[in-house]
Amino acid sequence: MMKIFKYLLLATVALGALYSCTKLDSTAYHSIPADAYYQNKDEVISAVLRPYTHTNAWATSSGQIGWWRVSALAGDQLAWPQKGVDGYDGAKWIRLHYHTWNSDDDDVRNPWKLLWTGLGYCNSAIANIGARPAASMGITEEEQKNYIAELKLLHAFYYIRIMDLWGNVPWITSLDVVHPPTLPEAQIFDSVEAEIKDNINLVPNLSEEMLGRMSKAGAYAMLSELYLNAEVWSGKPRWQDCINACDSLLDNRAGGVINNRLSLDSNLTETYLPSNKASQEQIFAIVYNHQSADWNAGFPSDFYHFNQKFIYGGTVTGNNGIVVIPGVYDTYDDADQRKKEWFFIGPMWYYDTASKTDNANKKFPVMGYREYQGKQLVFVDNIRRNSELKAGQDPSTLVSDMTHGEENSGVRFNKYKLGAQDDPNYRSTSWMIYRLTMIYYAKAEAEMRLNGNKATQDAVDLINTVRKRDFDPKVWPSKKYTTANFTMDSLLAERGREFIFEGYRRQDLIRFGKFTTGTWWDHKPLNDKNKLLFAIPIEQLSLNPNLKQNPGY
């Protein structure tokens, strides 16, 4: 495993001198100069891994405006409200929440640049590794074939996310294309499917060595997502194909990080701990290592309060940005242990060094920073300016919307744990892109879709198998779903509870027909089907005359 971090460090430092992940030029399809690179195996592997380090920027909660952020903040669970002097940020997050973004918005411009730049990294490495004799690079022909297949699978992953946001886009597989034309989304879907199927048997099974890389298991997970959303993305449902892809993983035909097999983690926290490189259910993750490569998880930037380091015993704080939309927290059953483990709500306390427990030292309250400076920080399940409440005033009469928050507004994220600074894996928590729980849910949904949107016994069993770890065994029998009470609405709600913070909520709402028609908190539906896709950035239309703007922009 340590070899991976050696190569990640080399990829980040050596190739970082050639290509920047943050200072992007305005050309969407730029090529990457190879110069004198690819002279030995280390340089080849570093080139293979370079797109992965870039993927962190947009696929996770990284502090950048990428696929994750726009997908999360456009949904019905998370928001980044203005909190007094903090968080207005040109109203970017407000427009995402109300679905009023436009073609000149950072919310469409930045994800476009990040995704197409990363696609360029894939295409560059594919072209350069494929153009040289294997021996000249210090690798075998078999390794050369495997590396190219791995990169093509990662290329397909990039396109799944590009298709998810913009639908109708060019299909780019080379470096020398000029002004590529826009293709229909269904054609992009077919190209992605073909690319995955052409390469799935040319890459290794998932193993510890393939941790954080695109393996056969990752390819099947991509197919499950592709087919789960096929009706939206291609116009044709592919439910049985989704089931088949899921079965390849559920039947352990593609390996696993632990003992060459996948299995559900035994409890609801180990998937998100700093030690989660040992998670049994991880399929594809962005893998960090603060200790060896100074390669750090970035989610604190989006989620953490200014004084959050005192709560968990670390050194990193954040921008006090993203919070849980009011009411979402209460959709969890009080007996559901996720409600306790995945969120911060109520009075905040210092990390307890004796028990090594966050928010537990009741001798030392964590203090506020803005409105509550000098007072204990208390996170609340509402977004309004409670500090301005007058004597005798009913709190419900305060304005509650995206511009009237304050520093303690909203229930807070505690799903992924960064660890205390004395944790041997501090700041090295991997971010799961695909995990086995998703496969259970995808198969259950596909079975229900094939059954006229009604629950089958197998679908219910799949969901109950996952949910069982969320409840104490004493109460679990009363919390089980049955075919009589498990509906499509139940499934959407359960997906929300299980995958909160993971970035898939927008995609789910679209697939369930709720994204443009649903009401949540202060968000009122626009009933505008054009908002199912984001705008093509206006600057890209001027750079490439063959690009076509999506309808409604």
Side-chain angles (χ1 to χ4, degrees):
M1 187 188 302
M2 294 310 298
K3 286 184 179 179
I4 294 174
F5 299 118
K6 181 188 86 170
Y7 293 127
L8 282 173
L9 182 61
L10 184 59
T12 306
V13 176
L15 291 181
L18 293 175
Y19 335 117
S20 169
C21 196
T22 54
K23 296 179 181 178
L24 305 176
D25 61 39
S26 60
T27 304
Y29 314 104
H30 64 284
S31 61
I32 303 170
D35 293 332
Y37 219 63
Y38 303 97
Q39 300 300 303
N40 55 60
K41 187 172 182 177
D42 280 1
E43 291 181 353
V44 171
I45 297 178
S46 295
V48 171
L49 296 184
R50 180 61 183 96
Y52 291 102
T53 66
H54 184 82
T55 302
N56 158 72
W58 59 264
T60 76
S61 170
S62 67
Q64 298 196 53
I65 308 175
W67 173 86
W68 181 89
R69 186 178 288 183
V70 299
S71 296
L73 295 186
D76 63 352
Q77 293 184 307
L78 305 178
W80 190 323
Q82 180 181 358
K83 306 176 192 72
V85 298
D86 300 308
Y88 182 70
D89 298 338
K92 292 192 290 286
W93 325 130
I94 293 172
R95 291 193 293 276
L96 274 174
H97 178 75
Y98 295 128
H99 295 183
T100 55
W101 58 79
N102 57 63
S103 61
D104 195 31
D105 228 322
D106 284 347
D107 297 331
V108 298
R109 183 188 303 114
N110 286 24
W112 179 278
K113 287 182 177 180
L114 286 169
L115 280 154
W116 287 103
T117 296
L119 199 75
Y121 290 140
C122 293
N123 287 337
S124 174
I126 290 168
N128 281 291
I129 295 172
R132 291 164 167 76
S136 73
M137 297 181 286
I139 60 176
T140 67
E141 290 184 359
E142 184 68 17
E143 288 173 326
Q144 182 182 38
K145 181 174 66 175
N146 290 345
Y147 293 145
I148 291 173
E150 178 183 351
L151 286 161
K152 287 184 176 180
L153 289 175
L154 190 58
H155 178 273
F157 175 64
Y158 267 78
Y159 259 110
I160 287 176
R161 295 295 181 259
I162 289 170
M163 181 169 56
D164 184 28
L165 295 185
W166 294 287
N168 312 293
V169 293
W171 176 255
I172 311 295
T173 58
S174 65
L175 298 174
D176 55 359
V177 63
V178 177
H179 296 158
T182 295
L183 300 177
E185 186 172 19
Q187 190 170 337
I188 299 297
F189 180 98
D190 291 342
S191 296
V192 171
E193 180 187 19
E195 188 163 49
I196 297 172
K197 293 172 76 173
D198 287 347
N199 292 282
I200 194 169
N201 292 317
L202 299 177
V203 293
N205 281 357
L206 178 60
S207 64
E208 185 178 6
E209 184 179 354
M210 292 298 292
L211 183 68
R213 294 170 62 180
M214 191 56 73
S215 65
K216 186 175 293 186
Y220 279 122
M222 282 196 292
L223 285 176
S224 73
E225 181 184 4
L226 192 71
Y227 295 139
L228 188 66
N229 294 283
E231 191 166 19
V232 173
W233 292 342
S234 75
K236 299 177 183 178
R238 301 283 294 274
W239 306 119
Q240 187 58 53
D241 288 328
C242 180
I243 292 170
N244 295 343
C246 291
D247 282 342
S248 294
L249 294 167
L250 295 172
D251 295 342
N252 275 301
R253 300 178 208 159
V257 172
I258 308 298
N259 298 323
N260 199 38
R261 60 184 293 109
L262 294 166
S263 60
L264 293 173
D265 285 330
S266 60
N267 61 61
L268 54 86
T269 59
E270 61 185 303
T271 313
Y272 312 103
L273 295 174
S275 58
N276 67 350
K277 291 174 187 60
S279 167
Q280 300 176 92
E281 71 170 75
Q282 64 183 303
I283 297 173
F284 177 50
I286 303 300
V287 180
Y288 302 100
N289 192 294
H290 173 69
Q291 289 70 29
S292 299
D294 197 24
W295 178 233
N296 305 315
F299 58 80
S301 176
D302 285 332
F303 288 111
Y304 282 10
H305 181 271
F306 304 124
N307 285 338
Q308 189 114 357
K309 63 183 180 181
F310 304 119
I311 300 172
Y312 73 96
T315 59
V316 180
T317 59
N319 293 311
N320 197 32
I322 297 173
V323 307
V324 179
I325 284 176
V328 171
Y329 176 75
D330 280 338
T331 67
Y332 289 81
D333 191 298
D334 285 342
D336 189 334
Q337 296 176 38
R338 294 173 296 187
K339 195 171 187 178
K340 174 185 176 183
E341 294 290 347
W342 289 1
F343 304 93
F344 281 134
I345 187 172
M348 292 295 105
W349 305 91
Y350 267 63
Y351 174 78
D352 185 67
T353 56
S355 64
K356 294 187 179 297
T357 306
D358 58 22
N359 191 36
N361 190 337
K362 299 301 175 67
K363 295 180 180 178
F364 299 101
V366 174
M367 309 304 281
Y369 184 84
R370 296 288 195 204
E371 292 90 349
Y372 295 93
Q373 188 174 22
K375 299 178 181 179
Q376 185 172 16
L377 180 64
V378 180
F379 292 132
V380 295
D381 190 16
N382 57 68
I383 297 174
R384 61 194 185 206
R385 296 196 59 78
N386 296 299
S387 62
E388 299 175 0
L389 192 68
K390 296 180 175 61
Q393 183 179 359
D394 181 351
S396 67
T397 63
L398 292 171
V399 176
S400 178
D401 63 21
M402 284 288 288
T403 61
H404 284 81
E406 52 188 13
E407 71 168 301
N408 70 334
S409 291
V411 177
R412 300 305 176 96
F413 165 98
N414 192 36
K415 189 174 189 178
Y416 281 90
K417 322 289 186 182
L418 203 62
Q421 58 186 310
D422 61 351
D423 189 306
N425 298 300
Y426 175 54
R427 297 184 70 184
S428 296
T429 314
S430 299
W431 186 276
M432 303 296 169
I433 304 296
Y434 293 123
R435 56 188 179 97
L436 189 59
T437 296
M438 296 175 177
I439 306 306
Y440 277 73
Y441 272 79
K443 183 178 180 181
E445 181 178 337
E447 288 187 353
M448 292 176 69
R449 301 281 189 182
L450 283 176
N451 194 45
N453 292 326
K454 296 180 180 179
T456 65
Q457 187 60 54
D458 188 58
V460 170
D461 290 345
L462 287 163
I463 301 303
N464 281 335
T465 297
V466 176
R467 291 180 67 247
K468 185 177 181 179
R469 63 188 174 188
D470 303 333
F471 294 87
D472 186 287
K474 295 177 182 178
V475 303
W476 170 240
S478 67
K479 304 301 180 181
K480 287 183 179 180
Y481 280 116
T482 68
T483 55
N485 66 10
F486 193 63
T487 65
M488 293 302 292
D489 285 342
S490 305
L491 177 59
L492 178 60
E494 283 299 336
R495 286 191 65 90
R497 285 187 280 270
E498 178 61 29
F499 303 118
I500 190 169
F501 305 119
E502 297 189 39
Y504 292 94
R505 190 58 176 173
R506 170 185 166 274
Q507 189 183 100
D508 289 349
L509 291 172
I510 290 173
R511 195 172 62 255
F512 279 76
K514 307 287 188 182
F515 186 68
T516 60
T517 62
T519 299
W520 49 87
W521 179 40
D522 71 327
H523 171 96
K524 301 297 187 294
L526 299 180
N527 294 298
D528 181 2
K529 65 180 182 179
N530 294 320
K531 294 299 182 179
L532 296 176
L533 295 173
F534 283 92
I536 306 296
I538 191 168
E539 66 186 37
Q540 300 301 333
L541 296 173
S542 63
L543 289 168
N544 179 2
N546 290 329
L547 278 178
K548 294 181 180 178
Q549 183 59 277
N550 281 324
Y553 296 101

